[in-house]
Amino acid sequence: MEKIHKLNVVHRYEKRSLLIAINCIAGLSILFFGYDQGMMGGVNTAYDYYTLMGFGHKGADGEPVVDDALLQGGIVSVYYLGTLVGCLIGGSIGDRYGRIKTIFTGAAVANVGACLQCSAMNHEWMICARLVNGWGTGILNSIIPVWATETAEHTSRGQFIAIEFTLNIFGVVIAYWLEYACSFYGDGTSSFIWRFPIAFQIPMLIGLMAGVLFFPESPRWLVKVGRESEGRYVLARLRGDTGADREKAEAEFQDIVASCELERSNFRKQSYFHMLFGIGSGKMHTGRRVQLVIWLQIMQEWVGIAGVTIYAPTIFGIAGMSPAKRQWISGLNNIFYMFATLICVFTLDRIGRRWSCYWGSAGQGIAMALAGAFSYLGQQATNNGDASKASAYGNAAVSMVFIFTSIFGATWLTVPWLYPAEIFPLEVRAKGNAWGVVGWSIGNGWLTLLCPIMFGAIGEKTLYIFAACNAITIPMVWALYPETNQRTLEEIDLLFASDSIWNWEAEKNFKNLRDQNIYEHGNGSKEDVESVDKRRGSVVRGTSLHVEDSKL
C-alpha cells in the first residue's frame, strides 16, 4: 500500500501481533494518564510544594497542615477543567483529521503542561500549568479508547481495553512509590521531592509522540473519509490477509461501508450542541447516548475511587493509622488495585459490561459502608482509650478500602471508558467518546474539589455517601444501559434505534430489526432467524433507519 509510509508497523506485523503493537502504544498513553492522576497525591504532601503554593504549613508532628483546603483542592481539580476542554477539542480533531494526528497533538500539549508544572514558582503558575496539562490529557483520553476499540475485534474489545487500564493503575503505582522514595531526599525540604516526579512524565509523552507516527490509522476512520483502499488494507492486516481470515476481513469491511452509508442518511448536522440534545440524529438517538456516557463517567468517580486514589492517606488517618503507616499502606493498596485489574481482562468479554457493573457496585457499596462504620468505631475506641480495639477497627477499615479498590479495578475502572468508545456512530465516534471524558472531568473535578471539605466536615460519613452512590448505579445500569458485549460496532447503531430510553425496549427492538433483516436478506425460514446468534451474520447491510419510513 504505497499511500501508507513504508516505515509504518502495519507492513511488518499482522493479526494479533499488530493488535498487540497498537495496544502497547495506546497503553503508553494510558500509563501516562494513570501516572498523572496519581502524581498529585504525593506532591501535595511535599513541604516545599505546599509552602510555595501557600495552602499549608508543617505541623508539630512534621505532617502538613492544610490552611486553605479550597486552594489545595482547586489546584488538583483545575486539571479536570482542562481535560473537559481538551476532550472536546480532541473529539473534533479526531473525527476530522484522524486518530493518529490527534494522539500526537494531545501528547505535545500535555508535554508543554508537564514542563510548566515542574517549573512552577507559585500557585497561579501551577494552576495554569495544570490547566494546560489537562488539555493534553483530555485530547488523549478522547481518542485513545476510540483508536483501540476501532482496531480490535468485537470478541476481544473489552480484553484489550482492560489490559490498557492495568497499565493505567501501574502508572498510579509508579507515581506513588517514586514520590515515596523522593520524600527521603535530603532533609525533606528540597523542591526536587515534587519537581522530579512531575518531570518524570515527560519521557513518556516524548515516547508517545515519536512512536505513534509509525502506527496505522483506524480502518473505520479511513473508510469514513473516503480512503477505502487504505482502510481495506489496514483491516486485512489486522484480521489476516489469507484464506478464511481474508473473507472475514472483507465481510467486516463491507459492514463498515454499509454502516457509514446508514449513518450519513440519518445525520444532518452533528456539532457537540446537536449531539447533546439529539438534534438531527433521527433514529441514531445521539442525545440519549451522550447522556448515558456522561452519567456513567460521573458515577464512576462518585462510587468513591477519586477520593480513595488521591486522599487515601486521609482516609487511613481517619481510620486511626499513624502518618508513617498510612503512607506505605496507601502504596500497598495501589499495588493490590493494579493486580485486581487483571480480573477484568478475563471477565469483561465473558460476563459483559452490565454484569461487571452489577457485581462491582454491590461489592464496592458494601465495602465503603463497612469502611465508614469501622472508622467510626475506631475513633470511638480511641476516644475511650482502648488502644487494642482502636487498632483492630482501624485495620478492618483499611481492609475494606483494599477490598473496594480491588473490586473497582476488576469492574468499574474499565467499563465507563470502554462503553463510550463502543456505542457512538462512526461519523461522530471521537466526539461521542469526548462526551464521556466530559462526564469523567465533571465527576472527578467536582469530587476532588469537595473531598477535602467533606472529609474535614463529616469525616468518615463521606464514605457513606460513596456507598449510597454505588447503590444508585445498580438500577441505573439495569434500566438504561444496553449490553454491547460481543456485538460489532456497526450492530450497536441498531441497538440504539428504539425511541424508548429503557434497555428492555432497546433489546426487543434490536431483535426485531435483526429478525426482519434475516428474513429479507436470508432464506426467510424460521430456522435461519433462530440460528442467527450462532452464525454472527451481518445485521447492518440492507437495514434502513430513516425517520420518515421507519416503522420502529
Side-chain angles (χ1 to χ4, degrees):
M1 176 55 63
E2 63 275 4
K3 291 184 180 180
I4 301 175
H5 198 278
K6 63 181 180 180
L7 295 180
N8 197 294
V9 299
V10 75
H11 301 305
R12 182 181 297 269
Y13 302 112
E14 66 173 337
K15 297 181 71 172
R16 191 168 183 83
S17 59
L18 179 57
L19 280 171
I20 290 172
I22 288 172
N23 278 273
C24 283
I25 201 73
L28 180 60
S29 176
I30 300 297
L31 177 71
F32 153 73
F33 172 41
Y35 183 89
D36 213 33
Q37 268 193 298
M39 177 186 69
M40 288 306 293
V43 169
N44 276 334
T45 62
Y47 171 79
D48 183 75
Y49 175 77
Y50 62 74
T51 54
L52 186 65
M53 297 302 144
F55 63 75
H57 68 276
K58 184 182 287 188
D61 60 354
E63 292 300 303
V65 176
V66 177
D67 301 316
D68 191 339
L70 187 61
L71 178 59
Q72 181 196 30
I75 292 174
V76 175
S77 62
V78 75
Y79 168 83
Y80 301 105
L81 175 61
T83 61
L84 191 153
V85 175
C87 71
L88 296 176
I89 296 171
S92 294
I93 297 173
D95 279 331
R96 181 173 298 183
Y97 300 108
R99 312 331 187 193
I100 298 300
K101 291 178 181 176
T102 308
I103 294 170
F104 180 86
T105 302
V109 174
N111 204 12
V112 172
C115 292
L116 289 173
Q117 278 188 93
C118 67
S119 59
M121 299 303 296
N122 51 58
H123 68 260
E124 291 91 352
W125 186 334
M126 190 65 176
I127 287 170
C128 291
R130 292 280 293 165
L131 194 64
V132 174
N133 195 231
W135 288 346
T137 306
I139 294 171
L140 290 173
N141 288 352
S142 71
I143 205 66
I144 285 290
V146 172
W147 185 49
T149 298
E150 289 184 338
T151 53
E153 292 187 84
H154 71 275
T155 56
S156 58
R157 283 195 308 263
Q159 182 183 57
F160 277 109
I161 296 295
I163 290 171
E164 288 177 11
F165 276 89
T166 298
L167 293 174
N168 174 262
I169 307 307
F170 183 50
V172 174
V173 171
I174 292 173
Y176 188 89
W177 287 106
L178 179 64
E179 288 172 331
Y180 184 74
C182 288
S183 68
F184 294 100
Y185 179 81
D187 61 357
T189 62
S190 172
S191 65
F192 174 86
I193 293 171
W194 66 273
R195 294 189 191 275
F196 177 75
I198 292 176
F200 192 78
Q201 63 191 297
I202 295 174
M204 301 183 207
L205 293 166
I206 292 174
L208 179 60
M209 290 169 62
V212 76
L213 297 176
F214 297 96
F215 279 78
E217 187 54 84
S218 159
R220 287 175 164 84
W221 182 82
L222 290 170
V223 172
K224 188 188 85 165
V225 297
R227 294 159 60 179
E228 293 189 4
S229 59
E230 293 174 71
R232 179 184 268 117
Y233 175 76
V234 173
L235 191 63
R237 297 294 294 174
L238 284 165
R239 305 293 182 255
D241 204 13
T242 57
D245 289 335
R246 187 184 186 90
E247 292 179 8
K248 287 171 61 179
E250 182 60 25
E252 184 176 350
F253 176 78
Q254 293 302 329
D255 274 354
I256 295 169
V257 172
S259 181
C260 284
E261 294 172 356
L262 179 68
E263 290 170 10
R264 291 189 188 111
S265 69
N266 278 273
F267 284 123
R268 289 193 291 272
K269 183 179 180 182
Q270 286 295 292
S271 66
Y272 282 116
F273 179 81
H274 286 79
M275 291 180 68
L276 180 60
F277 296 101
I279 300 171
S281 65
K283 290 291 182 178
M284 292 294 173
H285 296 118
T286 55
R288 184 195 310 162
R289 303 190 210 195
V290 167
Q291 294 297 324
L292 289 176
V293 301
I294 287 176
W295 284 103
L296 190 65
Q297 286 280 23
I298 288 175
M299 294 310 294
Q300 183 199 40
E301 301 309 316
W302 276 89
V303 297
I305 192 60
V308 170
T309 301
I310 298 176
Y311 297 103
T314 302
I315 295 173
F316 295 144
I318 291 173
M321 301 290 104
S322 66
K325 191 175 182 181
R326 73 182 72 155
Q327 290 296 327
W328 69 261
I329 287 178
S330 297
L332 188 63
N333 180 47
N334 286 336
I335 293 175
F336 274 79
Y337 185 13
M338 179 185 69
F339 283 112
T341 61
L342 294 174
I343 297 172
C344 201
V345 173
F346 300 102
T347 61
L348 191 55
D349 286 323
R350 295 188 180 185
I351 67 174
R353 292 31 163 173
R354 284 159 57 85
W355 275 102
S356 293
C357 289
Y358 292 156
W359 82 264
S361 295
Q364 290 161 187
I366 293 169
M368 279 284 98
L370 290 176
F374 286 132
S375 295
Y376 171 77
L377 292 172
Q379 291 174 70
Q380 291 297 107
T382 299
N383 294 336
N384 294 332
D386 193 336
S388 62
K389 277 190 176 181
S391 177
Y393 286 133
N395 290 335
V398 168
S399 69
M400 289 301 107
V401 174
F402 272 55
I403 291 171
F404 168 83
T405 52
S406 296
I407 295 174
F408 181 89
T411 57
W412 271 82
L413 171 68
T414 302
V415 174
W417 289 101
L418 174 61
Y419 204 77
E422 290 183 311
I423 70 169
F424 282 96
L426 176 57
E427 284 288 316
V428 291
R429 186 164 292 140
K431 286 182 181 177
N433 192 62
W435 277 115
V437 184
V438 167
W440 174 82
S441 302
I442 293 170
N444 224 321
W446 183 16
L447 191 58
T448 52
L449 182 63
L450 291 179
C451 260
I453 299 169
M454 289 194 299
F455 282 128
I458 59 176
E460 81 285 342
K461 295 181 180 64
T462 304
L463 305 183
Y464 300 145
I465 295 175
F466 296 152
C469 289
N470 277 284
I472 292 170
T473 61
I474 295 175
M476 183 181 88
V477 171
W478 173 77
L480 301 173
Y481 289 81
E483 181 59 74
T484 58
N485 186 38
Q486 301 303 312
R487 284 168 169 155
T488 69
L489 296 178
E490 288 65 48
E491 288 174 338
I492 290 171
D493 276 346
L494 307 185
L495 186 61
F496 283 90
S498 171
D499 290 329
S500 172
I501 67 171
W502 305 116
N503 168 62
W504 51 88
E505 292 295 334
E507 292 289 352
K508 179 181 177 181
N509 187 70
F510 177 81
K511 184 178 184 300
N512 290 339
L513 279 173
R514 181 189 64 183
D515 293 353
Q516 173 189 330
N517 195 51
I518 294 300
Y519 275 126
E520 291 178 357
H521 302 282
N523 60 28
S525 69
K526 180 180 179 181
E527 289 76 15
D528 192 32
V529 174
E530 290 176 343
S531 63
V532 68
D533 285 329
K534 299 176 183 177
R535 293 189 299 103
R536 295 298 308 165
S538 170
V539 297
V540 179
R541 277 169 274 168
T543 302
S544 173
L545 295 179
H546 288 296
V547 178
E548 63 270 20
D549 61 12
S550 175
K551 299 295 189 291
L552 300 178

